[in-house]
């Protein structure tokens, strides 16, 4: 059997599973809030064009209205000013090979329960590698926080008087993943790939600033990371081919032995 025939046989036998890392996308999907001086991203609107009625008696279809960065979504390098002049930096020009990679899942759920602002550090990554081996080049690094269990926009966005509180990456961790591990990008359960308080960091939003400046990607609002092993899963995360798109909602799938 060829490798792909073998893969199909393993899928059919249930020895390889497909895990859905995606939130439902609809009017209830929480959307990131920004300070009032900046333009906000709209929520999701779904409007029927026809539904087996006078407007289309035999068919049902909808019009979608939403921002590119809504729900489970992909961040392309062109999303950030640091990545705006890189080659192949948008949803339609990124080589498709780069949408597939091995997953390394870093579990900080216990730390997040104690402190929602917790940041994964370079030391935290090195400790993970001591147990699980080096993060391979071209990996998706997924930050498992338990955050996707938070139901409803209020709990998920967790905005206080001083802004949102949610976990993320210390700048040193981001630099390590870029310069010393050359990963594809990071994925998180939260609404964005920077911590809630990252607007106050130096530089502001260090993960977006540095990852996208290095041509790397982001995945936000993932779920079911607790169904993945620490290593060994393969993640397929291909955004819509939006012309000059800065990102897109997508279905993120993991193959797990
Ligand atoms: Mn985004």
């Amino acid at each position: 059997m060829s490798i792909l025939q073998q893969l199909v046989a393993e899928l059919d036998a249930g020895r390889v599973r497909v895990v859905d890392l995606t939130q439902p996308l609809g009017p209830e999907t929480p959307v990131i809030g920004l300070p009032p001086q900046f333009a906000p991203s709209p929520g999701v609107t779904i409007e029927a064009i026809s539904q087996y009625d006078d407007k289309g008696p035999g068919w049902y279809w909808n019009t979608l209205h939403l921002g590119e960065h809504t729900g489970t979504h992909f961040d392309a390098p062109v999303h950030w000013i640091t990545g705006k002049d890189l080659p192949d930096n948008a949803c339609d020009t990124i080589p498709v090979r780069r949408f597939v990679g091995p997953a390394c899942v870093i579990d900080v759920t216990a730390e997040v329960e104690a402190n929602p602002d917790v940041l994964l550090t370079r030391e935290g990554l090195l400790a993970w590698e001591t147990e699980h081996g080096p993060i391979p080049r071209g990996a998706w690094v997924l930050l498992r926080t338990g955050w996707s269990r938070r139901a409803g926009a209020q709990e998920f966005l967790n905005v206080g008087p001083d802004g949102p509180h949610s976990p993320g990456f210390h700048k040193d961790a981001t630099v390590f993943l870029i310069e010393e591990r050359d990963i594809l990008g990071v994925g998180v359960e939260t609404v964005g790939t920077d911590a809630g308080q990252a607007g106050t960091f130096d530089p502001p939003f260090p993960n977006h600033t540095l990852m996208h400046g290095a041509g790397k990607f982001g995945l936000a609002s993932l779920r079911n990371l607790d169904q993945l092993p620490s290593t060994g899963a393969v993640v397929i995360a291909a955004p819509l081919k939006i012309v000059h798109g800065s990102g897109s909602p997508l279905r993120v799938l993991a193959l797990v032995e």
Side-chain angles (χ1 to χ4, degrees):
M1 273 202 288
S2 75
I3 288 169
L4 291 179
Q5 285 173 325
Q6 196 178 338
L7 172 62
V8 171
E10 297 293 308
L11 285 163
D12 287 343
R15 287 188 295 267
V16 174
R17 289 186 304 125
V18 183
V19 178
D20 189 357
L21 305 185
T22 319
Q23 283 186 359
L25 184 65
E28 304 301 315
T29 299
V31 176
I32 196 167
L34 297 180
Q37 66 268 33
F38 302 123
S41 182
V44 177
T45 312
I46 302 178
E47 185 192 355
I49 300 171
S50 70
Q51 193 165 8
Y52 330 117
D53 53 20
D54 291 347
K55 296 174 187 168
W59 50 95
Y60 164 58
W61 50 349
N62 297 310
T63 299
L64 300 178
H65 185 250
L66 74 177
E68 287 172 328
H69 298 252
T70 303
T72 302
H73 73 271
F74 181 94
D75 289 358
V78 74
H79 178 42
W80 221 253
I81 191 167
T82 47
K84 75 181 178 64
D85 297 321
L86 295 175
D88 303 332
N89 62 356
C91 288
D92 58 331
T93 56
I94 296 165
V96 293
R97 167 65 187 90
R98 302 191 67 208
F99 298 141
V100 182
C104 294
V105 183
I106 321 286
D107 184 6
V108 296
T109 305
E111 291 94 319
V112 171
E113 276 167 14
N115 172 16
D117 292 310
V118 83
L119 303 179
L120 179 64
T121 61
R122 183 176 191 275
E123 290 68 34
L125 285 165
L126 291 170
W128 184 92
E129 288 192 332
T130 302
E131 195 175 340
H132 301 288
I135 294 167
R137 186 166 181 232
W140 287 111
V141 172
L142 307 180
L143 186 61
R144 177 181 163 192
T145 56
W147 205 264
S148 58
R149 292 197 301 256
R150 290 175 168 243
Q154 194 174 343
E155 220 191 318
F156 186 73
L157 299 174
N158 200 34
V159 179
D162 57 345
H165 291 271
S166 56
F169 299 89
H170 191 281
K171 183 178 86 173
D172 292 349
T174 301
V175 170
F176 173 78
L177 291 171
I178 294 166
E179 294 184 357
E180 298 186 52
R181 294 296 179 266
D182 193 17
I183 65 168
L184 281 181
V186 295
V188 297
E189 295 181 47
T190 47
V191 75
T193 61
D194 265 296
Q197 289 286 298
T200 68
F201 295 177
D202 180 26
F205 308 106
N207 193 72
H208 282 83
T209 301
L210 299 169
M211 279 288 166
H212 298 326
K216 305 200 178 298
F217 312 140
L219 296 171
S221 298
L222 298 174
R223 59 169 49 178
N224 297 329
L225 295 184
D226 57 341
Q227 295 182 30
L228 303 187
S230 298
T231 64
V234 171
V235 164
I236 303 164
L240 298 177
K241 200 168 182 174
I242 299 169
V243 175
H244 203 54
S246 77
S248 117
L250 78 174
R251 196 77 180 248
V252 181
L253 303 178
L255 300 180
V256 179
E257 284 187 68

